[in-house]
Amino acid sequence: MRTTKYVFVTGGVTSSLGKGIIAASLAKLLQERGYSVTIQKLDPYINIDPGTLNPYEHGECYVTDDGAETDLDLGHYERFLNIPTSQANNVTTGRIYQSVIDKERKGEFLGKTVQVIPHITDEIKRRIQILGNTGEYDIVITEIGGTVGDIESLPYVESVRQLLWELGEENAIVIHLTLIPFLAAAGELKTKPTQHSVKMLMQSGVSPDILVCRTEHELDDKLKAKLALFCNVKKEDVIESIDADTIYDVPLLMHEEGLDHVVLSKLKLSTEKQPELSKWNHFLKQHKNPCHEVEIGLIGKYVELHDSYKSITEALIHAGAVNEVKVNVKWIHSEELIPETIENELSGLHGILVAPGFGDRGIEGKIKAVQYARENNIPFFGICLGMQMAVIEFARNVLNLKDANSTEMDSNTSNPVIGLMEEQKEITKKGGTMRLGAWECQLQENSNVFKAYKALKISERHRHRYEFNNSYLEQMTEKGLQASGINPKTGLVEVVELPNHPWFVGVQYHPEYKSTVLNPHPLFVDFVKATLNYTQ
Ligand code: GLN
């Protein structure tokens, strides 16, 4: 069994510095040097998982194969590393406390006072080491959510302190990600906030081994020397992270700055093999040198916060690169799509994507968008709720079932074309109770989806409660809606399409979760190709 080494990534000064991207970029470099790497995210909030959070709070909820509802950073990890993550890769304070409290109720601490230290910190340390203890990884990178100094981060920082001491300096290190602000009036980059955040870490007994400094301007030698002196690191351990054009440039920038080299040196691992980035570079070359341009309308109700659709927009980037197309996303709020605005909003688009979502806000706009795409032969991609809206639109406007709806939106509709499965009807609890994670799907050979996947059996990730109501299947098929993907276990319809349309596909699952840089998702690739054909 190998000895797993640990890299902890903490954040200072402010949130939103991109710890997830730095962690993923470092992991990519180490992976391409031949190390087996995974990344874990610790989130200091009390929710058990982000599944119950409104996307406006933390952006998209990302779903893994094993059905974990997780932080969107796990999406970056998968997109960069091209390997799946799981529940073990995302831990929240809620989950930590739940395990400790469950143990307490079982009497496992009988006679003892249960406390943050050692019980909560022990549980955090156990969760950090679960991935390492599988023996599968040379290096586990653990990203600590939040900002150093936050009250809720304290138990995590204390756990890191203990682990550093227990594992020894060759086996565990800390990267502190920080901001070097530029004061325009003074014309200067400022190091003081970083000095303070490092001081804050040190008060908790942790001194960073490496500083990664987010900045809008280059850090000169003098400034790096100053940071080194005041933050107790060597000058070569001060890594500049300058704003990049795309997140996919960050691994290259980090390599130029030597981040992977210093990490390996500190962990006493070989730096001999250089990262093999030819495939990555090929993607970047295509991404940056498109030959064509398309505009795709993304219809959703959380469009004010683009992070709510992170995996979708990244999947469009991957698919754009394959097709050598620049994909421009037009963000369209479904609530604003009314008969008076629809022509203005949607005409001129080369593709229409109706996004996932919950609840009835804005759904009539989504249905209108489906109708517009169907009637005007514009490539259409409906994902999860988007697929359900396509089914409702077809029922209302082709089958003439005017009140067709999903029982999520109207529990009294006389035509529930989308409804709850029997087992879902019993469920009253909200968290983790949807149909989640990977399910198999059987595709029909004479379909657009088969042409895209080039496979008859696929596996895709789900996150929804409502399903296509099979009592309408016959009517719908008769009128030209093809159920081209079926769940072989349950008989549920997972894909619908219109054979008499250039490209009209609705999927009950979330293909966006599985698109990576090195493995762009076939449906997104095919959709973007269809939008390109549409421009011609
Ligand atoms: N609200 C729908 C359902 O629960 C769709 C969910 C989604 O789009 N992820 O079935």
Side-chain angles (χ1 to χ4, degrees):
M1 197 151 125
R2 50 185 124 203
T3 327
T4 302
K5 312 245 176 182
Y6 292 85
V7 177
F8 299 103
V9 181
T10 58
V13 181
T14 163
S15 60
S16 304
L17 288 183
K19 280 197 297 276
I21 301 296
I22 293 295
S25 299
L26 171 63
K28 183 78 215 161
L29 294 169
L30 300 175
Q31 183 192 47
E32 294 298 353
R33 279 175 181 263
Y35 292 101
S36 159
V37 191
T38 191
I39 320 175
Q40 178 187 46
K41 171 96 192 261
L42 306 182
D43 276 311
Y45 50 71
I46 296 170
N47 303 67
I48 300 292
D49 60 41
T52 53
L53 290 177
N54 186 312
Y56 289 134
E57 299 270 318
H58 286 278
E60 154 190 293
C61 169
Y62 185 79
V63 178
T64 56
D65 276 333
D66 65 347
E69 297 180 278
T70 72
D71 185 77
L72 60 72
D73 273 335
L74 272 78
H76 291 308
Y77 306 162
E78 290 203 14
R79 286 187 283 274
F80 276 60
L81 294 184
N82 203 30
I83 52 169
T85 53
S86 71
Q87 180 64 71
N89 296 76
N90 193 193
V91 176
T92 66
T93 293
R95 217 169 262 283
I96 300 278
Y97 271 79
Q98 193 182 43
S99 319
V100 172
I101 291 169
D102 283 350
K103 274 193 192 166
E104 189 275 338
R105 290 290 85 182
K106 281 192 210 141
E108 289 184 29
F109 305 113
L110 222 49
K112 288 265 177 289
T113 309
V114 182
Q115 293 178 296
V116 173
I117 299 168
H119 302 101
I120 295 297
T121 46
D122 279 352
E123 180 60 18
I124 294 174
K125 279 158 53 185
R126 189 183 73 79
R127 298 270 183 166
I128 290 173
Q129 288 172 292
I130 283 179
L131 288 164
N133 290 344
T134 60
E136 278 175 49
Y137 303 105
D138 300 310
I139 302 158
V140 175
I141 300 177
T142 298
E143 179 193 342
I144 319 280
T147 308
V148 165
D150 296 349
I151 289 176
E152 56 258 49
S153 302
L154 277 176
Y156 292 97
V157 176
E158 168 60 14
S159 306
V160 169
R161 185 196 68 75
Q162 292 181 18
L163 276 175
L164 291 169
W165 184 81
E166 285 166 11
L167 297 167
E169 58 185 20
E170 288 179 10
N171 295 317
I173 58 169
V174 175
I175 298 176
H176 188 57
L177 179 63
T178 168
L179 176 72
I180 311 292
F182 180 74
L183 281 197
E188 257 183 345
L189 288 162
K190 290 293 182 189
T191 64
K192 192 79 79 184
T194 298
Q195 295 180 41
H196 279 291
S197 82
V198 169
K199 190 169 144 194
M200 190 93 75
L201 253 187
M202 285 177 159
Q203 277 170 356
S204 303
V206 172
S207 46
D209 298 280
I210 297 166
L211 291 182
V212 175
C213 305
R214 281 298 304 274
T215 172
E216 289 172 26
H217 300 275
E218 273 179 32
L219 308 182
D220 61 21
D221 261 11
K222 229 175 90 198
L223 194 126
K224 283 190 173 181
K226 183 176 172 189
L227 277 167
L229 177 66
F230 290 118
C231 300
N232 249 0
V233 295
K234 294 206 189 84
K235 208 175 96 200
E236 56 269 28
D237 301 336
V238 179
I239 305 289
E240 166 191 299
S241 169
I242 201 151
D243 290 354
D245 294 338
T246 148
I247 53 170
Y248 300 114
D249 272 337
V250 178
L252 307 182
L253 294 171
M254 289 301 99
H255 183 55
E256 273 168 34
E257 278 284 302
L259 177 63
D260 47 335
H261 186 91
V262 292
V263 165
L264 290 172
S265 313
K266 285 182 191 296
L267 294 174
K268 300 280 183 289
L269 292 169
S270 164
T271 54
E272 213 165 294
K273 184 181 177 303
Q274 287 299 309
E276 214 296 285
L277 293 166
S278 54
K279 284 190 195 142
W280 192 268
N281 284 327
H282 176 70
F283 157 79
L284 273 176
K285 195 170 146 215
Q286 283 188 306
H287 172 53
K288 290 184 178 179
N289 300 288
C291 311
H292 318 273
E293 213 163 314
V294 296
E295 185 162 45
I296 294 179
L298 196 157
I299 326 284
K301 66 167 174 173
Y302 311 107
V303 292
E304 303 90 329
L305 183 70
H306 295 181
D307 270 1
S308 307
Y309 304 102
K310 196 74 203 162
S311 294
I312 293 179
T313 50
E314 295 309 310
L316 287 172
I317 289 173
H318 308 154
V322 177
N323 286 291
E324 300 184 304
V325 177
K326 178 169 193 294
V327 177
N328 298 314
V329 172
K330 178 175 178 186
W331 298 91
I332 301 173
H333 203 300
S334 50
E335 275 182 308
E336 283 159 20
L337 281 183
I338 49 173
E340 297 76 54
T341 59
I342 200 126
E343 184 61 37
N344 204 11
E345 288 286 343
L346 303 184
S347 69
L349 292 175
H350 309 116
I352 291 180
L353 191 155
V354 176
F358 293 85
D360 62 1
R361 185 166 67 94
I363 69 138
E364 292 304 324
K366 287 188 170 176
I367 295 172
K368 284 269 172 312
V370 178
Q371 183 179 9
Y372 191 88
R374 184 176 59 77
E375 290 177 347
N376 293 288
N377 285 323
I378 302 171
F380 166 81
F381 198 3
I383 300 180
C384 207
L385 185 70
M387 174 265 202
Q388 298 174 353
M389 294 303 115
V391 171
I392 294 169
E393 194 279 325
F394 193 83
R396 286 187 190 176
N397 299 324
V398 181
L399 300 188
N400 232 346
L401 307 173
K402 289 296 173 207
D403 76 333
N405 216 331
S406 162
T407 53
E408 179 180 7
M409 319 304 167
D410 175 6
S411 50
N412 296 318
T413 171
S414 52
N415 285 296
V417 291
I418 304 289
L420 280 184
M421 274 189 307
E422 277 313 310
E423 50 259 55
Q424 278 288 340
K425 290 185 184 157
E426 320 286 300
I427 295 172
T428 50
K429 281 196 181 163
K430 279 279 180 279
T433 56
M434 285 187 255
R435 175 145 81 100
L436 289 166
W439 288 78
E440 269 201 359
C441 174
Q442 180 80 33
L443 301 182
Q444 286 182 349
E445 210 166 335
N446 62 334
S447 64
N448 264 325
V449 276
F450 173 72
K451 270 186 232 137
Y453 281 97
K454 298 181 183 65
L456 283 174
K457 254 210 172 78
I458 57 163
S459 167
E460 292 282 4
R461 300 179 194 170
H462 290 247
R463 178 172 187 254
H464 55 99
R465 254 180 248 289
Y466 294 83
E467 305 281 354
F468 183 99
N469 180 345
N470 272 338
S471 33
Y472 290 87
L473 183 56
E474 215 183 297
Q475 290 180 60
M476 299 242 183
T477 323
E478 258 169 32
K479 290 279 189 205
L481 189 85
Q482 184 185 4
S484 54
I486 304 283
N487 183 320
K489 277 215 181 82
T490 57
L492 288 169
V493 174
E494 312 280 40
V495 188
V496 295
E497 57 182 90
L498 290 177
N500 294 328
H501 185 285
W503 208 93
F504 187 105
V505 175
V507 291
Q508 184 59 81
Y509 49 80
H510 290 265
E512 69 274 22
Y513 293 145
K514 284 182 62 164
S515 187
T516 71
V517 168
L518 299 189
N519 222 350
H521 195 285
L523 271 187
F524 278 88
V525 173
D526 215 50
F527 173 56
V528 170
K529 193 164 139 212
T531 63
L532 179 60
N533 291 341
Y534 183 81
T535 62
Q536 293 156 357

